[in-house]
Amino acid sequence: MIELGDDRWACRHGRLEYDTHPQMDQAIDHITALAADHRPAELFLHRRDGSVARLGTL
């Protein structure tokens, strides 16, 4: 997930953007469901400040 400038969260795989969500937890739920269909997968959260957090592996 990518934190956007307007405080929304984008669900992306590389440069392919699936959709956006107003809250981070909604984006996490959605990207987790998408990743479950494409195992093995790693989930990362990219914040506007440049920090990246690894959320886990499916």
Side-chain angles (χ1 to χ4, degrees):
M1 288 95 38
I2 309 289
E3 184 179 18
L4 303 174
D6 61 0
D7 295 325
R8 292 179 304 134
W9 292 86
C11 292
R12 291 185 185 168
H13 180 251
R15 293 185 180 194
L16 174 63
E17 185 171 305
Y18 294 107
D19 58 8
T20 60
H21 300 273
Q23 297 180 344
M24 181 175 56
D25 61 337
Q26 294 170 336
I28 290 172
D29 289 346
H30 184 229
I31 204 71
T32 300
L34 290 172
D37 292 335
H38 297 88
R39 294 175 191 241
E42 290 187 83
L43 301 175
F44 293 90
L45 183 138
H46 299 262
R47 294 191 180 272
R48 282 189 316 225
D49 66 6
S51 64
V52 178
R54 184 176 178 272
L55 300 179
T57 303
L58 295 179

Short mmCIF file of all heavy atoms in Angstrom, two decimals:
data_model
loop_
_atom_site.label_atom_id
_atom_site.label_comp_id
_atom_site.label_asym_id
_atom_site.label_seq_id
_atom_site.Cartn_x
_atom_site.Cartn_y
_atom_site.Cartn_z
N MET A 1 0.84 -1.16 0.00
CA MET A 1 0.00 0.00 0.00
C MET A 1 0.89 1.23 0.00
O MET A 1 1.97 1.22 0.57
CB MET A 1 -0.88 0.04 1.24
CG MET A 1 -2.00 -0.97 1.25
SD MET A 1 -1.59 -2.47 2.12
CE MET A 1 -0.66 -2.01 3.48
N ILE A 2 0.37 2.31 -0.63
CA ILE A 2 1.09 3.56 -0.75
C ILE A 2 0.24 4.66 -0.12
O ILE A 2 -0.93 4.82 -0.48
CB ILE A 2 1.34 3.93 -2.23
CG1 ILE A 2 1.96 2.78 -3.01
CG2 ILE A 2 2.14 5.21 -2.35
CD1 ILE A 2 3.37 2.47 -2.67
N GLU A 3 0.83 5.41 0.79
CA GLU A 3 0.13 6.56 1.36
C GLU A 3 0.17 7.70 0.34
O GLU A 3 1.24 8.09 -0.13
CB GLU A 3 0.81 7.00 2.66
CG GLU A 3 0.08 8.12 3.36
CD GLU A 3 0.75 8.53 4.66
OE1 GLU A 3 1.94 8.21 4.87
OE2 GLU A 3 0.07 9.17 5.46
N LEU A 4 -0.98 8.23 0.00
CA LEU A 4 -1.09 9.28 -0.99
C LEU A 4 -1.10 10.66 -0.33
O LEU A 4 -1.35 10.78 0.87
CB LEU A 4 -2.36 9.09 -1.83
CG LEU A 4 -2.47 7.74 -2.54
CD1 LEU A 4 -3.83 7.62 -3.22
CD2 LEU A 4 -1.34 7.57 -3.53
N GLY A 5 -0.88 11.70 -1.12
CA GLY A 5 -0.81 13.06 -0.62
C GLY A 5 -2.10 13.57 -0.01
O GLY A 5 -2.09 14.50 0.79
N ASP A 6 -3.22 12.97 -0.37
CA ASP A 6 -4.52 13.41 0.18
C ASP A 6 -4.99 12.52 1.32
O ASP A 6 -6.17 12.46 1.63
CB ASP A 6 -5.56 13.47 -0.93
CG ASP A 6 -5.79 12.12 -1.60
OD1 ASP A 6 -5.16 11.12 -1.20
OD2 ASP A 6 -6.60 12.07 -2.54
N ASP A 7 -4.06 11.79 1.94
CA ASP A 7 -4.32 10.91 3.09
C ASP A 7 -5.10 9.64 2.76
O ASP A 7 -5.52 8.93 3.65
CB ASP A 7 -5.01 11.66 4.24
CG ASP A 7 -4.13 12.75 4.81
OD1 ASP A 7 -2.89 12.56 4.87
OD2 ASP A 7 -4.67 13.80 5.20
N ARG A 8 -5.28 9.35 1.48
CA ARG A 8 -5.87 8.06 1.09
C ARG A 8 -4.74 7.05 0.94
O ARG A 8 -3.57 7.40 0.97
CB ARG A 8 -6.63 8.19 -0.23
CG ARG A 8 -7.88 9.02 -0.13
CD ARG A 8 -8.61 9.14 -1.46
NE ARG A 8 -7.71 9.68 -2.47
CZ ARG A 8 -7.58 9.17 -3.71
NH1 ARG A 8 -8.30 8.14 -4.09
NH2 ARG A 8 -6.73 9.71 -4.57
N TRP A 9 -5.11 5.79 0.75
CA TRP A 9 -4.15 4.70 0.59
C TRP A 9 -4.44 3.97 -0.71
O TRP A 9 -5.57 3.61 -0.99
CB TRP A 9 -4.25 3.74 1.76
CG TRP A 9 -3.78 4.36 3.02
CD1 TRP A 9 -4.51 5.13 3.88
CD2 TRP A 9 -2.45 4.35 3.52
NE1 TRP A 9 -3.72 5.58 4.90
CE2 TRP A 9 -2.45 5.11 4.71
CE3 TRP A 9 -1.27 3.76 3.10
CZ2 TRP A 9 -1.30 5.29 5.46
CZ3 TRP A 9 -0.13 3.94 3.86
CH2 TRP A 9 -0.15 4.70 5.03
N ALA A 10 -3.41 3.76 -1.51
CA ALA A 10 -3.55 3.07 -2.78
C ALA A 10 -3.07 1.62 -2.64
O ALA A 10 -2.01 1.38 -2.05
CB ALA A 10 -2.74 3.77 -3.86
N CYS A 11 -3.85 0.71 -3.17
CA CYS A 11 -3.44 -0.69 -3.25
C CYS A 11 -2.76 -0.87 -4.60
O CYS A 11 -3.38 -0.66 -5.64
CB CYS A 11 -4.65 -1.61 -3.15
SG CYS A 11 -5.43 -1.60 -1.53
N ARG A 12 -1.48 -1.24 -4.57
CA ARG A 12 -0.72 -1.37 -5.81
C ARG A 12 0.11 -2.65 -5.82
O ARG A 12 0.50 -3.14 -4.78
CB ARG A 12 0.26 -0.20 -5.97
CG ARG A 12 -0.40 1.11 -6.21
CD ARG A 12 0.64 2.17 -6.47
NE ARG A 12 0.02 3.48 -6.60
CZ ARG A 12 0.69 4.61 -6.60
NH1 ARG A 12 2.01 4.61 -6.48
NH2 ARG A 12 0.07 5.75 -6.73
N HIS A 13 0.37 -3.09 -7.03
CA HIS A 13 1.35 -4.15 -7.27
C HIS A 13 2.29 -3.57 -8.30
O HIS A 13 1.93 -3.43 -9.47
CB HIS A 13 0.68 -5.41 -7.79
CG HIS A 13 1.65 -6.51 -8.05
ND1 HIS A 13 1.97 -6.92 -9.32
CD2 HIS A 13 2.38 -7.27 -7.21
CE1 HIS A 13 2.86 -7.89 -9.25
NE2 HIS A 13 3.13 -8.13 -7.99
N GLY A 14 3.47 -3.16 -7.85
CA GLY A 14 4.37 -2.43 -8.74
C GLY A 14 3.73 -1.10 -9.11
O GLY A 14 3.29 -0.36 -8.25
N ARG A 15 3.63 -0.85 -10.40
CA ARG A 15 3.00 0.40 -10.86
C ARG A 15 1.50 0.24 -11.13
O ARG A 15 0.81 1.20 -11.43
CB ARG A 15 3.69 0.91 -12.10
CG ARG A 15 5.10 1.36 -11.81
CD ARG A 15 5.73 1.96 -13.01
NE ARG A 15 7.09 2.37 -12.67
CZ ARG A 15 7.80 3.16 -13.40
NH1 ARG A 15 7.33 3.63 -14.54
NH2 ARG A 15 9.02 3.48 -13.03
N LEU A 16 1.01 -0.97 -11.05
CA LEU A 16 -0.41 -1.24 -11.28
C LEU A 16 -1.21 -0.87 -10.04
O LEU A 16 -1.04 -1.48 -8.98
CB LEU A 16 -0.63 -2.71 -11.62
CG LEU A 16 -2.08 -3.16 -11.76
CD1 LEU A 16 -2.77 -2.45 -12.91
CD2 LEU A 16 -2.13 -4.66 -11.95
N GLU A 17 -2.07 0.14 -10.15
CA GLU A 17 -2.89 0.56 -9.02
C GLU A 17 -4.26 -0.10 -9.14
O GLU A 17 -4.94 0.06 -10.15
CB GLU A 17 -3.03 2.07 -8.99
CG GLU A 17 -3.77 2.56 -7.76
CD GLU A 17 -3.72 4.07 -7.61
OE1 GLU A 17 -2.61 4.62 -7.60
OE2 GLU A 17 -4.80 4.68 -7.52
N TYR A 18 -4.65 -0.84 -8.11
CA TYR A 18 -5.95 -1.49 -8.10
C TYR A 18 -7.05 -0.52 -7.72
O TYR A 18 -8.08 -0.47 -8.36
CB TYR A 18 -5.95 -2.68 -7.13
CG TYR A 18 -5.03 -3.80 -7.55
CD1 TYR A 18 -3.84 -4.03 -6.88
CD2 TYR A 18 -5.34 -4.62 -8.62
CE1 TYR A 18 -2.99 -5.05 -7.27
CE2 TYR A 18 -4.50 -5.64 -9.02
CZ TYR A 18 -3.32 -5.85 -8.33
OH TYR A 18 -2.48 -6.85 -8.71
N ASP A 19 -6.85 0.20 -6.61
CA ASP A 19 -7.85 1.13 -6.13
C ASP A 19 -7.27 1.95 -4.98
O ASP A 19 -6.10 1.79 -4.64
CB ASP A 19 -9.12 0.41 -5.69
CG ASP A 19 -8.88 -0.62 -4.59
OD1 ASP A 19 -7.76 -0.68 -4.05
OD2 ASP A 19 -9.81 -1.36 -4.26
N THR A 20 -8.10 2.82 -4.39
CA THR A 20 -7.68 3.60 -3.23
C THR A 20 -8.73 3.46 -2.14
O THR A 20 -9.89 3.11 -2.40
CB THR A 20 -7.50 5.09 -3.58
OG1 THR A 20 -8.74 5.61 -4.05
CG2 THR A 20 -6.42 5.30 -4.63
N HIS A 21 -8.29 3.74 -0.91
CA HIS A 21 -9.16 3.63 0.26
C HIS A 21 -8.93 4.84 1.17
O HIS A 21 -7.81 5.33 1.27
CB HIS A 21 -8.82 2.36 1.05
CG HIS A 21 -8.99 1.12 0.23
ND1 HIS A 21 -10.19 0.46 0.13
CD2 HIS A 21 -8.12 0.44 -0.55
CE1 HIS A 21 -10.04 -0.59 -0.67
NE2 HIS A 21 -8.78 -0.62 -1.10
N PRO A 22 -9.98 5.30 1.84
CA PRO A 22 -9.83 6.46 2.71
C PRO A 22 -9.06 6.15 4.00
O PRO A 22 -8.51 7.06 4.62
CB PRO A 22 -11.26 6.88 3.02
CG PRO A 22 -12.09 5.66 2.78
CD PRO A 22 -11.37 4.87 1.73
N GLN A 23 -9.00 4.88 4.38
CA GLN A 23 -8.33 4.51 5.63
C GLN A 23 -7.34 3.37 5.38
O GLN A 23 -7.59 2.48 4.56
CB GLN A 23 -9.33 4.09 6.69
CG GLN A 23 -10.27 5.22 7.08
CD GLN A 23 -11.26 4.79 8.12
OE1 GLN A 23 -11.48 3.61 8.36
NE2 GLN A 23 -11.88 5.76 8.76
N MET A 24 -6.23 3.41 6.13
CA MET A 24 -5.18 2.42 5.97
C MET A 24 -5.69 1.01 6.25
O MET A 24 -5.35 0.08 5.52
CB MET A 24 -4.00 2.73 6.90
CG MET A 24 -2.87 1.75 6.76
SD MET A 24 -1.41 2.14 7.73
CE MET A 24 -2.04 2.28 9.37
N ASP A 25 -6.52 0.81 7.27
CA ASP A 25 -6.97 -0.54 7.60
C ASP A 25 -7.81 -1.14 6.48
O ASP A 25 -7.75 -2.35 6.23
CB ASP A 25 -7.71 -0.58 8.93
CG ASP A 25 -8.95 0.29 8.97
OD1 ASP A 25 -9.06 1.25 8.19
OD2 ASP A 25 -9.83 0.00 9.83
N GLN A 26 -8.55 -0.32 5.75
CA GLN A 26 -9.32 -0.81 4.61
C GLN A 26 -8.38 -1.27 3.49
O GLN A 26 -8.61 -2.30 2.86
CB GLN A 26 -10.24 0.28 4.08
CG GLN A 26 -11.33 0.67 5.03
CD GLN A 26 -12.07 1.92 4.58
OE1 GLN A 26 -11.54 2.74 3.83
NE2 GLN A 26 -13.30 2.07 5.04
N ALA A 27 -7.32 -0.51 3.27
CA ALA A 27 -6.34 -0.87 2.25
C ALA A 27 -5.62 -2.16 2.63
O ALA A 27 -5.39 -3.02 1.78
CB ALA A 27 -5.34 0.26 2.04
N ILE A 28 -5.27 -2.30 3.90
CA ILE A 28 -4.60 -3.52 4.37
C ILE A 28 -5.50 -4.74 4.14
O ILE A 28 -5.05 -5.77 3.64
CB ILE A 28 -4.18 -3.40 5.84
CG1 ILE A 28 -3.04 -2.39 5.97
CG2 ILE A 28 -3.77 -4.76 6.41
CD1 ILE A 28 -2.66 -2.06 7.40
N ASP A 29 -6.76 -4.62 4.49
CA ASP A 29 -7.70 -5.74 4.29
C ASP A 29 -7.80 -6.11 2.82
O ASP A 29 -7.77 -7.30 2.47
CB ASP A 29 -9.08 -5.38 4.83
CG ASP A 29 -9.15 -5.32 6.34
OD1 ASP A 29 -8.21 -5.80 7.01
OD2 ASP A 29 -10.15 -4.77 6.85
N HIS A 30 -7.89 -5.10 1.96
CA HIS A 30 -8.06 -5.36 0.54
C HIS A 30 -6.80 -5.97 -0.08
O HIS A 30 -6.87 -6.97 -0.79
CB HIS A 30 -8.46 -4.08 -0.21
CG HIS A 30 -8.73 -4.32 -1.64
ND1 HIS A 30 -8.19 -3.56 -2.64
CD2 HIS A 30 -9.48 -5.28 -2.26
CE1 HIS A 30 -8.59 -4.03 -3.81
NE2 HIS A 30 -9.37 -5.06 -3.60
N ILE A 31 -5.64 -5.39 0.19
CA ILE A 31 -4.41 -5.89 -0.42
C ILE A 31 -4.07 -7.29 0.11
O ILE A 31 -3.53 -8.12 -0.61
CB ILE A 31 -3.23 -4.90 -0.25
CG1 ILE A 31 -2.18 -5.12 -1.34
CG2 ILE A 31 -2.61 -4.97 1.11
CD1 ILE A 31 -2.58 -4.69 -2.70
N THR A 32 -4.45 -7.57 1.36
CA THR A 32 -4.23 -8.90 1.92
C THR A 32 -5.08 -9.93 1.17
O THR A 32 -4.61 -11.02 0.84
CB THR A 32 -4.55 -8.93 3.42
OG1 THR A 32 -3.68 -7.99 4.08
CG2 THR A 32 -4.34 -10.30 4.02
N ALA A 33 -6.33 -9.58 0.88
CA ALA A 33 -7.20 -10.48 0.12
C ALA A 33 -6.66 -10.69 -1.29
O ALA A 33 -6.67 -11.82 -1.80
CB ALA A 33 -8.61 -9.91 0.07
N LEU A 34 -6.19 -9.62 -1.94
CA LEU A 34 -5.60 -9.76 -3.27
C LEU A 34 -4.36 -10.64 -3.25
O LEU A 34 -4.19 -11.51 -4.10
CB LEU A 34 -5.23 -8.38 -3.84
CG LEU A 34 -6.38 -7.47 -4.23
CD1 LEU A 34 -5.83 -6.09 -4.59
CD2 LEU A 34 -7.16 -8.05 -5.39
N ALA A 35 -3.50 -10.42 -2.27
CA ALA A 35 -2.25 -11.18 -2.18
C ALA A 35 -2.50 -12.65 -1.89
O ALA A 35 -1.73 -13.51 -2.33
CB ALA A 35 -1.36 -10.57 -1.10
N ALA A 36 -3.57 -12.95 -1.17
CA ALA A 36 -3.88 -14.35 -0.84
C ALA A 36 -4.12 -15.18 -2.10
O ALA A 36 -3.88 -16.39 -2.10
CB ALA A 36 -5.09 -14.42 0.08
N ASP A 37 -4.57 -14.52 -3.16
CA ASP A 37 -4.81 -15.21 -4.42
C ASP A 37 -3.55 -15.35 -5.26
O ASP A 37 -3.59 -15.95 -6.34
CB ASP A 37 -5.87 -14.47 -5.24
CG ASP A 37 -7.24 -14.54 -4.61
OD1 ASP A 37 -7.51 -15.50 -3.85
OD2 ASP A 37 -8.05 -13.64 -4.88
N HIS A 38 -2.44 -14.79 -4.80
CA HIS A 38 -1.18 -14.80 -5.57
C HIS A 38 0.00 -15.19 -4.69
O HIS A 38 1.04 -14.56 -4.71
CB HIS A 38 -0.95 -13.42 -6.20
CG HIS A 38 -1.99 -13.06 -7.18
ND1 HIS A 38 -3.15 -12.41 -6.82
CD2 HIS A 38 -2.08 -13.30 -8.51
CE1 HIS A 38 -3.89 -12.23 -7.90
NE2 HIS A 38 -3.27 -12.77 -8.93
N ARG A 39 -0.19 -16.22 -3.90
CA ARG A 39 0.87 -16.69 -3.00
C ARG A 39 2.00 -17.30 -3.78
O ARG A 39 1.74 -17.91 -4.81
CB ARG A 39 0.30 -17.70 -2.01
CG ARG A 39 -0.68 -17.09 -1.06
CD ARG A 39 -1.28 -18.18 -0.20
NE ARG A 39 -2.40 -17.66 0.53
CZ ARG A 39 -2.47 -17.62 1.86
NH1 ARG A 39 -1.49 -18.08 2.58
NH2 ARG A 39 -3.52 -17.14 2.45
N PRO A 40 3.21 -17.22 -3.30
CA PRO A 40 3.65 -16.47 -2.14
C PRO A 40 3.69 -14.97 -2.43
O PRO A 40 3.92 -14.55 -3.57
CB PRO A 40 5.06 -17.00 -1.87
CG PRO A 40 5.54 -17.42 -3.21
CD PRO A 40 4.31 -17.90 -3.97
N ALA A 41 3.43 -14.19 -1.40
CA ALA A 41 3.41 -12.73 -1.56
C ALA A 41 3.94 -12.07 -0.29
O ALA A 41 3.80 -12.61 0.80
CB ALA A 41 1.99 -12.26 -1.82
N GLU A 42 4.56 -10.91 -0.46
CA GLU A 42 5.00 -10.10 0.66
C GLU A 42 4.25 -8.78 0.60
O GLU A 42 4.04 -8.23 -0.47
CB GLU A 42 6.50 -9.83 0.60
CG GLU A 42 7.33 -11.05 0.86
CD GLU A 42 8.79 -10.71 0.97
OE1 GLU A 42 9.22 -10.29 2.07
OE2 GLU A 42 9.47 -10.84 -0.05
N LEU A 43 3.85 -8.28 1.76
CA LEU A 43 3.08 -7.04 1.85
C LEU A 43 3.94 -5.94 2.47
O LEU A 43 4.57 -6.15 3.51
CB LEU A 43 1.83 -7.24 2.69
CG LEU A 43 0.87 -8.32 2.19
CD1 LEU A 43 -0.27 -8.50 3.17
CD2 LEU A 43 0.36 -7.99 0.82
N PHE A 44 3.93 -4.77 1.81
CA PHE A 44 4.70 -3.62 2.29
C PHE A 44 3.81 -2.39 2.34
O PHE A 44 2.93 -2.23 1.50
CB PHE A 44 5.88 -3.33 1.37
CG PHE A 44 6.93 -4.40 1.38
CD1 PHE A 44 6.87 -5.45 0.49
CD2 PHE A 44 7.97 -4.35 2.29
CE1 PHE A 44 7.83 -6.45 0.50
CE2 PHE A 44 8.93 -5.35 2.31
CZ PHE A 44 8.86 -6.40 1.41
N LEU A 45 4.08 -1.54 3.32
CA LEU A 45 3.37 -0.28 3.47
C LEU A 45 4.38 0.84 3.25
O LEU A 45 5.40 0.90 3.93
CB LEU A 45 2.78 -0.20 4.89
CG LEU A 45 1.96 1.02 5.19
CD1 LEU A 45 0.73 0.62 5.98
CD2 LEU A 45 2.77 2.01 5.98
N HIS A 46 4.10 1.70 2.26
CA HIS A 46 5.00 2.81 1.91
C HIS A 46 4.35 4.11 2.37
O HIS A 46 3.27 4.47 1.89
CB HIS A 46 5.22 2.85 0.39
CG HIS A 46 5.85 1.63 -0.15
ND1 HIS A 46 7.19 1.54 -0.42
CD2 HIS A 46 5.32 0.42 -0.49
CE1 HIS A 46 7.47 0.35 -0.89
NE2 HIS A 46 6.35 -0.35 -0.95
N ARG A 47 5.02 4.81 3.27
CA ARG A 47 4.50 6.08 3.77
C ARG A 47 5.08 7.25 2.98
O ARG A 47 6.13 7.14 2.36
CB ARG A 47 4.84 6.25 5.25
CG ARG A 47 4.13 5.23 6.12
CD ARG A 47 4.27 5.59 7.59
NE ARG A 47 3.60 4.64 8.44
CZ ARG A 47 2.32 4.72 8.78
NH1 ARG A 47 1.58 5.70 8.35
NH2 ARG A 47 1.78 3.80 9.55
N ARG A 48 4.38 8.38 3.04
CA ARG A 48 4.83 9.58 2.33
C ARG A 48 6.19 10.05 2.78
O ARG A 48 6.93 10.66 2.01
CB ARG A 48 3.83 10.73 2.53
CG ARG A 48 2.61 10.60 1.68
CD ARG A 48 1.77 11.84 1.73
NE ARG A 48 1.62 12.35 3.09
CZ ARG A 48 0.50 12.75 3.63
NH1 ARG A 48 -0.59 12.75 2.94
NH2 ARG A 48 0.46 13.19 4.86
N ASP A 49 6.56 9.79 4.03
CA ASP A 49 7.86 10.26 4.54
C ASP A 49 9.03 9.42 4.01
O ASP A 49 10.18 9.66 4.35
CB ASP A 49 7.87 10.30 6.06
CG ASP A 49 7.75 8.93 6.73
OD1 ASP A 49 7.77 7.89 6.03
OD2 ASP A 49 7.64 8.90 7.96
N GLY A 50 8.72 8.41 3.19
CA GLY A 50 9.75 7.57 2.61
C GLY A 50 10.01 6.28 3.36
O GLY A 50 10.74 5.42 2.88
N SER A 51 9.41 6.13 4.52
CA SER A 51 9.61 4.90 5.29
C SER A 51 8.78 3.76 4.69
O SER A 51 7.74 3.98 4.07
CB SER A 51 9.24 5.10 6.76
OG SER A 51 7.85 5.39 6.89
N VAL A 52 9.30 2.55 4.86
CA VAL A 52 8.64 1.35 4.34
C VAL A 52 8.57 0.35 5.48
O VAL A 52 9.56 0.09 6.16
CB VAL A 52 9.42 0.74 3.16
CG1 VAL A 52 8.76 -0.53 2.67
CG2 VAL A 52 9.55 1.75 2.02
N ALA A 53 7.39 -0.23 5.68
CA ALA A 53 7.21 -1.26 6.70
C ALA A 53 6.78 -2.55 6.03
O ALA A 53 5.88 -2.56 5.19
CB ALA A 53 6.14 -0.83 7.72
N ARG A 54 7.45 -3.63 6.37
CA ARG A 54 7.08 -4.95 5.87
C ARG A 54 5.97 -5.47 6.77
O ARG A 54 6.15 -5.62 7.98
CB ARG A 54 8.27 -5.89 5.89
CG ARG A 54 7.98 -7.24 5.31
CD ARG A 54 9.27 -8.09 5.27
NE ARG A 54 8.99 -9.40 4.77
CZ ARG A 54 8.60 -10.43 5.52
NH1 ARG A 54 8.46 -10.28 6.81
NH2 ARG A 54 8.37 -11.61 4.97
N LEU A 55 4.81 -5.76 6.19
CA LEU A 55 3.66 -6.20 6.98
C LEU A 55 3.57 -7.70 7.12
O LEU A 55 2.88 -8.20 8.00
CB LEU A 55 2.36 -5.68 6.37
CG LEU A 55 2.24 -4.16 6.28
CD1 LEU A 55 0.90 -3.79 5.64
CD2 LEU A 55 2.39 -3.53 7.64
N GLY A 56 4.24 -8.42 6.26
CA GLY A 56 4.23 -9.87 6.39
C GLY A 56 4.25 -10.59 5.06
O GLY A 56 4.31 -9.98 4.00
N THR A 57 4.20 -11.90 5.16
CA THR A 57 4.24 -12.78 4.00
C THR A 57 3.01 -13.67 4.01
O THR A 57 2.57 -14.14 5.06
CB THR A 57 5.51 -13.66 4.06
OG1 THR A 57 6.65 -12.80 4.12
CG2 THR A 57 5.63 -14.55 2.86
N LEU A 58 2.46 -13.91 2.83
CA LEU A 58 1.35 -14.87 2.69
C LEU A 58 1.81 -16.03 1.84
O LEU A 58 2.63 -15.93 1.00
CB LEU A 58 0.16 -14.20 1.99
CG LEU A 58 -0.51 -13.06 2.74
CD1 LEU A 58 -1.64 -12.49 1.91
CD2 LEU A 58 -1.04 -13.54 4.06
#
